[in-house]
Amino acid sequence: MQDVRKRAKSNDKNVSERNIPKNNESNVNNNKIPTTQRNISLRIISRVVVIFSLLIVVYFSSKNDKVKTFAKQSELLPGKGLVVDCSLSYKEEVEKYEGCVPKECKRFITDKVISVREAEELLAIAKKGLQLGGSSGGASILDLHSGALSMGQHFVNIYKREDAKHIFSETDFNIYRVVKEKIKYAVAHHFGVKPNKIYLTHPTFFSEITSKKAVTMHDEYWHPHVDKETYKSFHYTTLLYLGDYNIDFKGGRFVFVDEKFNRTVEPRKARLSMFTSGRENLHYVEKVTSGNRYAMTISFTCDQQYAIQDPSINNI
Ligand SMILES: *[C@@H]1O[C@H](CO)[C@@H](O)[C@H](O)[C@H]1NC(C)=O
């Protein structure tokens, strides 16, 4: 022990001894440049450094201020909502339907309504259908109600195809119906409307987005849009994600476009996003850069004349 201490002491000595000539050297240099001039240039340099680091901090924080993550993929959200002012046109229109007027316009994200198991079963149904078709661009849809399936630059009716007649089972349609009902009750609950006053409407469909280049207008999902303007019958839009952002695909976040900054929803398997379909929820989907992004759009209307029936094995 003592030995070690001694050595340490002698090391200290060596260090300080070594430092002495260095200090002398710098003193010699100081004699060449006047001290005041040296201090001024040091001060200028340090100021420049401080200003630049401030600018860098401001630049990056302001960049991050423009887009906020509303729902992170890695988080299991019991429920997270944001109330927004209803757009005037939405409010005026929806007020005609008693029992269907939302308590407030908003977005609401929850990972607790649909189970991962249910999402996986839906994903298997979606893939079974979509593998028979596929858009020549990046975005394909499968609508189990009408049978619409993307094919090249057009759509075909999957139920008219011989090879499609037996791919969907009664169980598939049951799962679809159960999930749809759960989502309907979730909408009714969270928006404060009557479940028997909202109706499933067209289009309700599976979507598959790949990183392929767009060919037709249907492939261009990344333009900001208002659902109510695209589909007149919509009053409540819901999206059920069937895959995970940054795991199954890259890019493809959902973005609410707001005044001060945009808010992203990162897809997570079985994550349900619900929002009023008016201008208060202007949104787009970022381009998918790799992998396949699967989701389901389930839409509801207050107007019974636009109600659609559940898909069923009997309708095939
Ligand atoms: C939000 O996204 C839209 C559409 O991409 C864009 O035009 C707008 O500048 C973004 N807003 C902010 C604050 O970055």
Side-chain angles (χ1 to χ4, degrees):
M1 263 301 260
Q2 256 181 350
D3 255 18
V4 175
R5 237 183 270 157
K6 246 188 212 162
R7 227 182 290 148
K9 246 189 194 165
S10 64
N11 277 349
D12 283 346
K13 219 175 165 188
N14 282 343
V15 169
S16 53
E17 266 169 12
R18 253 187 269 129
N19 279 344
I20 293 166
K22 249 194 187 165
N23 285 343
N24 282 346
E25 241 171 46
S26 60
N27 281 340
V28 171
N29 281 343
N30 280 353
N31 290 342
K32 279 184 199 155
I33 307 165
T35 348
T36 47
Q37 203 182 321
R38 192 166 169 269
N39 281 347
I40 286 170
S41 59
L42 260 180
R43 234 190 287 164
I44 289 172
I45 289 170
S46 63
R47 275 182 199 173
V48 167
V49 167
V50 166
I51 288 168
F52 265 96
S53 13
L54 273 178
L55 281 178
I56 288 167
V57 167
V58 167
Y59 176 74
F60 278 103
S61 56
S62 67
K63 216 177 167 188
N64 288 340
D65 267 359
K66 284 189 180 157
V67 51
K68 292 196 174 184
T69 306
F70 188 67
K72 236 177 141 52
Q73 183 277 330
S74 56
E75 268 180 316
L76 181 73
L77 291 178
K80 183 175 181 183
L82 182 74
V83 173
V84 287
D85 286 335
C86 297
S87 67
L88 200 61
S89 54
Y90 180 81
K91 209 169 157 179
E92 280 176 1
E93 213 250 8
V94 83
E95 260 161 19
K96 292 187 286 194
Y97 305 98
E98 187 263 318
C100 194
V101 184
K103 252 203 327 247
E104 48 209 0
C105 283
K106 67 175 168 191
R107 305 103 195 229
F108 192 84
I109 315 290
T110 170
D111 298 325
K112 293 285 189 177
V113 170
I114 305 301
S115 70
V116 169
R117 171 97 194 266
E118 285 166 325
E120 279 170 353
E121 283 169 334
L122 285 174
L123 179 61
I125 298 170
K127 284 183 173 173
K128 259 198 306 199
L130 283 159
Q131 69 173 6
L132 299 178
S135 158
S136 39
S140 305
I141 64 114
L142 167 65
D143 175 346
L144 286 185
H145 300 268
S146 66
L149 170 71
S150 302
M151 179 74 76
Q153 297 188 28
H154 306 277
F155 298 96
V156 294
N157 186 344
I158 195 172
Y159 299 133
K160 292 256 158 74
R161 282 182 53 151
E162 270 317 306
D163 55 350
K165 283 258 154 73
H166 306 290
I167 63 164
F168 300 118
S169 65
E170 201 163 345
T171 318
D172 291 341
F173 289 110
N174 285 340
I175 292 161
Y176 189 91
R177 216 166 29 236
V178 166
V179 169
K180 187 263 307 182
E181 281 298 296
K182 279 170 102 172
I183 294 175
K184 184 166 88 173
Y185 281 95
V187 169
H189 176 68
H190 289 289
F191 290 91
V193 299
K194 292 188 177 140
N196 61 340
K197 292 289 181 184
I198 54 174
Y199 310 94
L200 191 70
T201 192
H202 171 83
T204 282
F205 57 94
F206 291 111
S207 60
E208 176 194 64
I209 307 179
T210 70
S211 57
K212 263 204 229 166
K213 245 185 90 193
V215 176
T216 69
M217 179 190 95
H218 299 291
D219 298 315
E220 299 195 12
Y221 52 83
W222 56 83
H223 301 295
H225 63 274
V226 172
D227 285 347
K228 188 110 196 52
E229 291 169 9
T230 313
Y231 307 109
K232 230 182 127 275
S233 65
F234 278 38
H235 289 107
Y236 298 95
T237 305
T238 76
L239 299 166
L240 176 64
Y241 295 107
L242 306 179
D244 289 291
Y245 166 72
N246 259 353
I247 297 172
D248 299 313
F249 57 89
K250 296 234 170 10
R253 290 181 301 180
F254 178 100
V255 186
F256 284 112
V257 178
D258 293 335
E259 235 165 64
K260 289 210 186 81
F261 40 79
N262 293 343
R263 293 179 170 91
T264 59
V265 175
E266 300 177 354
R268 176 187 168 97
K269 191 180 280 172
R271 173 164 286 173
L272 177 64
S273 168
M274 311 179 254
F275 50 91
T276 46
S277 310
R279 182 145 278 275
E280 65 280 352
N281 283 315
L282 178 68
H283 64 270
Y284 69 98
V285 173
E286 283 178 336
K287 282 188 188 176
V288 169
T289 54
S290 69
N292 288 353
R293 179 193 194 269
Y294 292 95
M296 204 182 154
T297 302
I298 306 118
S299 38
F300 297 93
T301 183
C302 298
D303 191 342
Q304 197 171 5
Q305 71 169 327
Y306 293 113
I308 57 169
Q309 294 311 302
D310 289 334
S312 142
I313 195 112
N314 305 320
N315 299 343
I316 297 182

